mmCIF file of all heavy atoms in Angstrom:
data_model
loop_
_atom_site.group_PDB
_atom_site.id
_atom_site.type_symbol
_atom_site.label_atom_id
_atom_site.label_comp_id
_atom_site.label_asym_id
_atom_site.label_seq_id
_atom_site.Cartn_x
_atom_site.Cartn_y
_atom_site.Cartn_z
ATOM 1 N N HIS A 22 -15.635 103.785 -20.852
ATOM 2 C CA HIS A 22 -15.819 104.189 -19.451
ATOM 3 C C HIS A 22 -15.716 105.706 -19.318
ATOM 4 O O HIS A 22 -16.493 106.329 -18.589
ATOM 5 C CB HIS A 22 -14.752 103.536 -18.564
ATOM 6 C CG HIS A 22 -14.874 102.054 -18.444
ATOM 7 N ND1 HIS A 22 -13.888 101.207 -18.870
ATOM 8 C CD2 HIS A 22 -15.868 101.272 -17.945
ATOM 9 C CE1 HIS A 22 -14.255 99.959 -18.640
ATOM 10 N NE2 HIS A 22 -15.448 99.969 -18.084
ATOM 11 N N ALA A 23 -14.741 106.280 -19.997
ATOM 12 C CA ALA A 23 -14.550 107.726 -19.917
ATOM 13 C C ALA A 23 -15.792 108.459 -20.420
ATOM 14 O O ALA A 23 -16.240 109.438 -19.804
ATOM 15 C CB ALA A 23 -13.329 108.141 -20.735
ATOM 16 N N PHE A 24 -16.365 107.982 -21.520
ATOM 17 C CA PHE A 24 -17.568 108.608 -22.063
ATOM 18 C C PHE A 24 -18.715 108.543 -21.072
ATOM 19 O O PHE A 24 -19.435 109.527 -20.851
ATOM 20 C CB PHE A 24 -17.956 107.922 -23.373
ATOM 21 C CG PHE A 24 -19.194 108.494 -24.004
ATOM 22 C CD1 PHE A 24 -19.140 109.704 -24.681
ATOM 23 C CD2 PHE A 24 -20.406 107.825 -23.917
ATOM 24 C CE1 PHE A 24 -20.285 110.241 -25.265
ATOM 25 C CE2 PHE A 24 -21.554 108.350 -24.488
ATOM 26 C CZ PHE A 24 -21.496 109.565 -25.159
ATOM 27 N N SER A 25 -18.907 107.395 -20.430
ATOM 28 C CA SER A 25 -19.996 107.236 -19.473
ATOM 29 C C SER A 25 -19.784 108.101 -18.236
ATOM 30 O O SER A 25 -20.717 108.753 -17.744
ATOM 31 C CB SER A 25 -20.126 105.764 -19.068
ATOM 32 O OG SER A 25 -21.343 105.532 -18.396
ATOM 33 N N ALA A 26 -18.558 108.131 -17.729
ATOM 34 C CA ALA A 26 -18.260 108.941 -16.549
ATOM 35 C C ALA A 26 -18.450 110.426 -16.846
ATOM 36 O O ALA A 26 -19.035 111.167 -16.045
ATOM 37 C CB ALA A 26 -16.830 108.679 -16.081
ATOM 38 N N LEU A 27 -17.966 110.865 -17.999
ATOM 39 C CA LEU A 27 -18.109 112.271 -18.374
ATOM 40 C C LEU A 27 -19.575 112.640 -18.603
ATOM 41 O O LEU A 27 -20.003 113.747 -18.270
ATOM 42 C CB LEU A 27 -17.294 112.559 -19.640
ATOM 43 C CG LEU A 27 -15.773 112.589 -19.449
ATOM 44 C CD1 LEU A 27 -15.065 112.506 -20.804
ATOM 45 C CD2 LEU A 27 -15.344 113.845 -18.704
ATOM 46 N N THR A 28 -20.351 111.716 -19.149
ATOM 47 C CA THR A 28 -21.774 111.962 -19.375
ATOM 48 C C THR A 28 -22.501 112.187 -18.053
ATOM 49 O O THR A 28 -23.297 113.125 -17.906
ATOM 50 C CB THR A 28 -22.408 110.784 -20.134
ATOM 51 O OG1 THR A 28 -21.791 110.659 -21.422
ATOM 52 C CG2 THR A 28 -23.905 110.990 -20.319
ATOM 53 N N ALA A 29 -22.233 111.311 -17.085
ATOM 54 C CA ALA A 29 -22.883 111.449 -15.777
ATOM 55 C C ALA A 29 -22.407 112.710 -15.064
ATOM 56 O O ALA A 29 -23.207 113.432 -14.449
ATOM 57 C CB ALA A 29 -22.594 110.210 -14.931
ATOM 58 N N HIS A 30 -21.117 112.976 -15.134
ATOM 59 C CA HIS A 30 -20.553 114.156 -14.466
ATOM 60 C C HIS A 30 -21.134 115.435 -15.055
ATOM 61 O O HIS A 30 -21.519 116.361 -14.321
ATOM 62 C CB HIS A 30 -19.026 114.134 -14.612
ATOM 63 C CG HIS A 30 -18.321 115.170 -13.804
ATOM 64 N ND1 HIS A 30 -17.865 116.348 -14.350
ATOM 65 C CD2 HIS A 30 -18.003 115.224 -12.480
ATOM 66 C CE1 HIS A 30 -17.280 117.071 -13.409
ATOM 67 N NE2 HIS A 30 -17.352 116.422 -12.267
ATOM 68 N N ARG A 31 -21.231 115.505 -16.376
ATOM 69 C CA ARG A 31 -21.791 116.686 -17.035
ATOM 70 C C ARG A 31 -23.262 116.865 -16.638
ATOM 71 O O ARG A 31 -23.713 117.992 -16.400
ATOM 72 C CB ARG A 31 -21.659 116.531 -18.552
ATOM 73 C CG ARG A 31 -22.380 117.598 -19.382
ATOM 74 C CD ARG A 31 -21.790 118.978 -19.198
ATOM 75 N NE ARG A 31 -20.406 119.045 -19.596
ATOM 76 C CZ ARG A 31 -19.980 119.178 -20.853
ATOM 77 N NH1 ARG A 31 -20.846 119.251 -21.855
ATOM 78 N NH2 ARG A 31 -18.690 119.256 -21.104
ATOM 79 N N ALA A 32 -24.005 115.775 -16.556
ATOM 80 C CA ALA A 32 -25.416 115.859 -16.177
ATOM 81 C C ALA A 32 -25.573 116.448 -14.776
ATOM 82 O O ALA A 32 -26.456 117.269 -14.519
ATOM 83 C CB ALA A 32 -26.072 114.486 -16.255
ATOM 84 N N ALA A 33 -24.692 116.020 -13.858
ATOM 85 C CA ALA A 33 -24.748 116.539 -12.489
ATOM 86 C C ALA A 33 -24.422 118.033 -12.469
ATOM 87 O O ALA A 33 -25.085 118.819 -11.774
ATOM 88 C CB ALA A 33 -23.791 115.758 -11.592
ATOM 89 N N LEU A 34 -23.410 118.428 -13.215
ATOM 90 C CA LEU A 34 -23.035 119.844 -13.267
ATOM 91 C C LEU A 34 -24.164 120.685 -13.865
ATOM 92 O O LEU A 34 -24.509 121.749 -13.340
ATOM 93 C CB LEU A 34 -21.765 120.027 -14.096
ATOM 94 C CG LEU A 34 -20.454 119.525 -13.497
ATOM 95 C CD1 LEU A 34 -19.303 119.756 -14.483
ATOM 96 C CD2 LEU A 34 -20.162 120.209 -12.169
ATOM 97 N N ASP A 35 -24.751 120.205 -14.967
ATOM 98 C CA ASP A 35 -25.820 120.956 -15.625
ATOM 99 C C ASP A 35 -27.034 121.124 -14.722
ATOM 100 O O ASP A 35 -27.754 122.125 -14.817
ATOM 101 C CB ASP A 35 -26.234 120.252 -16.920
ATOM 102 C CG ASP A 35 -25.176 120.359 -18.019
ATOM 103 O OD1 ASP A 35 -24.240 121.173 -17.853
ATOM 104 O OD2 ASP A 35 -25.293 119.630 -19.021
ATOM 105 N N ALA A 36 -27.263 120.139 -13.857
ATOM 106 C CA ALA A 36 -28.430 120.186 -12.973
ATOM 107 C C ALA A 36 -28.112 120.848 -11.632
ATOM 108 O O ALA A 36 -28.996 120.959 -10.774
ATOM 109 C CB ALA A 36 -28.958 118.770 -12.736
ATOM 110 N N GLY A 37 -26.858 121.270 -11.442
ATOM 111 C CA GLY A 37 -26.456 121.828 -10.153
ATOM 112 C C GLY A 37 -26.551 120.799 -9.049
ATOM 113 O O GLY A 37 -26.836 121.129 -7.895
ATOM 114 N N GLY A 38 -26.306 119.531 -9.426
ATOM 115 C CA GLY A 38 -26.479 118.433 -8.478
ATOM 116 C C GLY A 38 -25.178 117.830 -7.990
ATOM 117 O O GLY A 38 -24.123 118.477 -8.006
ATOM 118 N N ARG A 39 -25.243 116.579 -7.590
ATOM 119 C CA ARG A 39 -24.119 115.888 -6.974
ATOM 120 C C ARG A 39 -23.687 114.720 -7.857
ATOM 121 O O ARG A 39 -24.514 114.033 -8.458
ATOM 122 C CB ARG A 39 -24.509 115.372 -5.583
ATOM 123 C CG ARG A 39 -24.893 116.462 -4.605
ATOM 124 C CD ARG A 39 -25.616 115.865 -3.398
ATOM 125 N NE ARG A 39 -24.822 114.816 -2.771
ATOM 126 C CZ ARG A 39 -25.351 113.811 -2.079
ATOM 127 N NH1 ARG A 39 -26.679 113.736 -1.916
ATOM 128 N NH2 ARG A 39 -24.577 112.890 -1.544
ATOM 129 N N PHE A 40 -22.382 114.491 -7.876
ATOM 130 C CA PHE A 40 -21.800 113.381 -8.636
ATOM 131 C C PHE A 40 -21.048 112.478 -7.673
ATOM 132 O O PHE A 40 -20.166 112.933 -6.936
ATOM 133 C CB PHE A 40 -20.847 113.913 -9.711
ATOM 134 C CG PHE A 40 -20.111 112.837 -10.463
ATOM 135 C CD1 PHE A 40 -20.752 112.080 -11.427
ATOM 136 C CD2 PHE A 40 -18.762 112.580 -10.205
ATOM 137 C CE1 PHE A 40 -20.070 111.090 -12.133
ATOM 138 C CE2 PHE A 40 -18.076 111.600 -10.895
ATOM 139 C CZ PHE A 40 -18.732 110.853 -11.865
#
Side-chain angles (χ1 to χ4, degrees):
H22 293 118
F24 180 77
S25 193
L27 287 165
T28 298
H30 189 260
R31 172 66 61 81
L34 289 178
D35 289 348
R39 298 165 55 207
F40 175 75

